[in-house]
Amino acid sequence: MRVLGVDPGLTRCGVGVVEGVAGRPLTMIGVGVVRTPADADLGHRLVAVEQGIEQWLDEHRPGFVAVERVFSQHNVRTVMGTAQASAVAILCASRRGIPVALHTPSEVKAAVTGSGRADKAQVGAMVTRLLRLAAPPKPADAADALALAICHIWRAPAQNRLQQAAALHASRAPRPPHAPKGRTT
C-alpha cells in the first residue's frame, strides 16, 4: 500500500509518501513541503498548493491519500487556511479517483507514538524510528505528513474490516414489519 500523507496548510503544506503494510517495516518514498508566500493572494496560494499536490500525485502514484482532519482552533484565520488547503488535497485525489481518508491529529499521534497527546518532537522522533531515517524530517509539517501516511497504513485494514462487517450486518438485517415493500411513491 502506498499512501500520500498531507498535513494541510497554506504557508507550509506537508507531504509525505510511505509504502508498506501493517505489521511489516514501512518505507519512506518521499517527503517535503509545498510552500506558498504568506503575502500572496489567497487564490494564488490555493493554486500553488494544488500544483504541488498534483506534482506529488504524478510522481509517486499513491493508492490512497490521508489528510489531517481539520479541527476547531481558537484562531479562525488559521483554521480557515488549513481547511482550504485540506479541501484542495481532497479535490486533487478525488479528481483522480484516489480514495481519501481523514484522520484527526490525536488519532495520528496515538497511532504513531501510543499517546494522542504527544508533542511534535515525539511524533518526529517516532516517524524517524519507524521509517529508519537518519534524522527527523524538517519542518515538523513534513514529519506530520509521514505520520498521517503511517497512521493510514496501520489503521486502514481494521477500518475496512469494520465497514465490511457493518455492511454485511445491514444486508442481513430483517426488514421491520412496517417497512414498505415494493414500489413507493
Side-chain angles (χ1 to χ4, degrees), residues 65-155:
V65 174
V67 180
E68 183 175 275
R69 182 182 303 268
V70 177
F71 64 99
S72 177
Q73 295 177 342
H74 297 294
N75 186 340
V76 174
R77 185 173 180 187
T78 300
V79 79
M80 287 301 295
T82 302
Q84 290 162 336
S86 177
V88 169
I90 293 166
L91 175 67
C92 290
S94 298
R95 185 184 296 139
R96 294 169 181 246
I98 301 171
V100 177
L102 301 174
H103 298 283
T104 65
S106 59
E107 179 184 359
V108 173
K109 291 173 185 179
V112 174
T113 71
S115 169
R117 296 178 182 259
D119 62 23
K120 292 230 181 245
Q122 290 170 305
V123 171
M126 284 306 296
V127 164
T128 302
R129 185 173 180 190
L130 293 168
L131 296 175
R132 301 171 311 282
L133 305 175
K138 298 283 185 197
D141 309 275
D144 289 349
L146 291 171
L148 276 150
I150 293 167
C151 174
H152 186 73
I153 289 170
W154 286 353
R155 296 203 170 202

